Amino acid sequence: EKAKGPLINAFAGAVAALAAYFVATPVEAIKVGLQTWPGTALPGVLSRIVSQRGPMGFLYGLDAMYSAGVPYSIVMYTTYQPIRGAINNVTGEGVWGSIFGAGIAELIGLLFFIPGELVRMRMMNDPSKYSSFFTAFPALLAERGPGGMYKGLKATALRDVPYTALQFVVFEKLRTELALKKKEGEAVTLLESVGVGVQAAIVASVFTIPLDVLKSQIMTSAVPGSMRATTRSLIRSGGVGSLVKGLVPYTGINAAKWSVSMAVYSTVRE
């Protein structure tokens, strides 16, 4: 693959984020409700979202989603390509460049993502208290301090690093195989890339759902707790099954977000 410059990668990452988070925000609202409103089934979550936030409630927090997701996407995609290339220069072309490139790029991107993600999740969990990102962010910053804005970083990294590595490896492998089946001069279409992204998201989601449940609990709780304590509390109150609660919407949001993000990114770059 011909190397692309950082400006092209950054532009493609920004476009990818704008498209992906618009699609994913409604599914994310449902997922967070299922995971953090005890005893509430899907119909109850849908009803509660509409009653608390109105008909447009499923897009509530989109400003926070963009504030967290766009810088993250720019940084993650821009750093991924050179890191992947450097690793491939050492190990040769293969999966290791994608695995370690995606993992390292994800860690760097999370430094830009976590504060906005914390604000978004608190907005979704308590919409009566936080009306918008621009009122929620300074309020939470004053309440928690700069360090407190990174609450959940460990849980998020433990979920997102393996998730992103799996997503990139599966996506790139399937998309490459699809491209090889094309006639000479024929490119993989945007829709085909979305389909590949959905398959990759399903694989990565199944392996990382327990970590997503822990992340949601830690980031929305008023009192900080460790991953071990949160795991024990969840199993005590809801059994082992509580660690896979929200699997369907979690897979749905990843399929929506990552399939669109990677498909748009790949298409824009090319």
Side-chain angles (χ1 to χ4, degrees):
E1 179 186 14
K2 185 179 178 181
K4 302 292 195 301
L7 289 179
I8 294 176
N9 288 324
F11 175 73
V15 175
L18 291 172
Y21 286 107
F22 182 80
V23 172
T25 296
V27 188
E28 177 72 11
I30 295 170
K31 177 184 77 74
V32 172
L34 284 170
Q35 292 179 340
T36 62
W37 291 335
T40 307
L42 180 59
V45 169
L46 298 176
S47 175
R48 186 168 174 177
I49 288 174
V50 173
S51 65
Q52 288 187 349
R53 307 169 192 169
M56 296 298 291
F58 294 97
L59 288 176
Y60 181 77
L62 180 60
D63 55 347
M65 191 79 99
Y66 279 155
S67 297
V70 174
Y72 156 79
S73 184
I74 292 172
V75 171
M76 192 271 293
Y77 279 123
T78 302
T79 56
Y80 167 68
Q81 295 295 341
I83 293 172
R84 174 176 174 264
I87 294 171
N88 281 341
N89 287 339
V90 175
T91 63
E93 290 292 334
V95 298
W96 295 115
S98 297
I99 291 174
F100 287 105
I104 295 170
E106 179 67 28
L107 283 173
I108 298 171
L110 284 177
L111 297 177
F112 295 81
F113 180 75
I114 288 295
E117 169 74 347
L118 174 67
V119 173
R120 180 189 65 77
M121 294 198 73
R122 292 304 299 269
M123 286 174 62
M124 287 184 170
N125 192 244
D126 192 359
S128 62
K129 185 175 181 180
Y130 305 110
S131 59
S132 73
F133 175 82
F134 298 103
T135 58
F137 184 86
L140 287 168
L141 181 61
E143 175 187 323
R144 296 168 176 270
M149 297 303 291
Y150 283 89
K151 178 185 177 184
L153 174 59
K154 181 179 178 180
T156 305
L158 287 174
R159 178 199 70 175
D160 285 3
V161 169
Y163 179 92
T164 304
L166 277 170
Q167 175 78 31
F168 271 74
V169 169
V170 176
F171 178 85
E172 290 177 349
K173 180 175 176 55
L174 293 178
R175 194 171 187 270
T176 298
E177 290 179 353
L178 182 60
L180 291 174
K181 295 177 182 178
K182 294 282 187 178
K183 297 177 182 178
E184 187 176 352
E186 187 178 1
V188 176
T189 67
L190 176 62
L191 187 59
E192 288 171 332
S193 292
V194 169
V196 169
V198 169
Q199 295 175 64
I202 291 172
V203 173
S205 297
V206 169
F207 281 97
T208 58
I209 178 63
L211 297 170
D212 181 69
V213 174
L214 292 175
K215 168 186 169 292
S216 293
Q217 291 292 330
I218 290 171
M219 295 189 79
T220 57
S221 65
V223 180
S226 67
M227 290 191 67
R228 180 179 297 179
T230 302
T231 302
R232 288 175 177 172
S233 176
L234 282 170
I235 294 176
R236 244 190 337 261
S237 61
V240 177
S242 63
L243 293 176
V244 295
K245 189 174 184 181
L247 174 60
V248 173
Y250 175 60
T251 304
I253 187 174
N254 285 331
K257 179 175 69 176
W258 278 102
S259 63
V260 172
S261 175
M262 298 192 77
V264 170
Y265 172 74
S266 299
T267 303
V268 171
R269 283 186 80 237
E270 293 172 354

